Amino acid sequence: MDDLVTERLVLHPMTLGEAERVVAGESDSDARWAPGYPTEGDVSAATRLLSTCAISGDPQPFGTYEIRRRDDGRAIGGVGFHGPPDENGSVTIGYGLVPSARGEGHASEALRGLLLFARAHGVTRVKGDADHDNIASQRVMTAAGMRPAGEDERVRYFEITWIDTAADTDPRS
């Protein structure tokens, strides 16, 4: 599977070997990790990818992507799907960045790229959530075109739905 490229980022589909190294916290000679990478969320996503591969095979293109800066190639976080689309064409996403890469619009840019990809691949709805006190993550989803879709005692839910799944230049369409 090819990398997904945005203006400033590369969303690189994580391989099994890369996922194993992230879980172990051991970069290989080719990997360039920003300080703080991998985060706990990156390790969790890599663990989920390894488990999925062991049970049902590689989920790509609906797997985990490493977020890399285009200018220096350093991994600064991850974005991805929690699994393939369900019978209704719906997927759940997650994302995260190392602290030093936050506040620069990288998360919104990565999420917009993933939303465009999902729409182009027939997904009709993308869901995500953020803790009530995680205002930054709520802003990321809103900036990427997702809208509030409810809440419970712990989290606020967000989603974006498309009737026409044809790719567009703006995931908010």
Side-chain angles (χ1 to χ4, degrees):
M1 161 124 200
D2 294 333
D3 291 342
L4 306 175
V5 180
T6 68
E7 181 180 343
R8 298 176 298 158
L9 304 171
V10 172
L11 308 181
H12 172 72
M14 191 175 280
T15 66
L16 285 176
E18 290 164 341
E20 289 168 346
R21 286 188 289 280
V22 165
V23 170
E26 299 173 354
S27 173
D28 70 3
S29 60
D30 294 330
R32 295 170 47 168
W33 292 355
Y37 184 85
T39 66
E40 183 178 316
D42 296 311
V43 172
S44 177
T47 300
R48 182 174 49 251
L49 177 63
L50 292 171
S51 176
T52 299
C53 287
I55 295 168
S56 57
D58 190 344
Q60 293 299 354
F62 294 102
T64 301
Y65 293 78
E66 196 172 63
I67 301 171
R68 299 176 179 172
R69 289 188 297 238
R70 286 180 66 183
D71 63 357
D72 65 6
R74 292 198 181 275
I76 58 171
V79 64
F81 302 97
H82 291 192
D86 66 16
E87 64 278 354
N88 298 314
S90 180
V91 295
T92 301
I93 52 88
Y95 56 87
L97 295 175
V98 296
S100 64
R102 295 177 186 160
E104 299 176 22
H106 294 306
S108 296
E109 183 176 332
L111 183 53
R112 277 191 299 274
L114 197 69
L115 291 174
L116 286 170
F117 175 83
R119 186 173 186 188
H121 284 80
V123 171
T124 58
R125 182 170 69 167
V126 177
K127 302 180 289 185
D129 63 67
D131 290 341
H132 284 287
D133 62 350
N134 191 345
I135 303 303
S137 186
Q138 294 174 36
R139 287 183 179 148
V140 164
M141 287 185 276
T142 300
M146 298 177 77
R147 298 291 173 244
E151 62 183 77
D152 61 24
E153 65 281 346
R154 190 179 65 81
V155 299
R156 289 189 73 192
Y157 298 97
F158 290 78
E159 70 178 37
I160 186 168
T161 304
W162 302 287
I163 297 169
D164 172 14
T165 58
D168 195 322
T169 57
D170 187 344
R172 295 170 280 203
S173 301

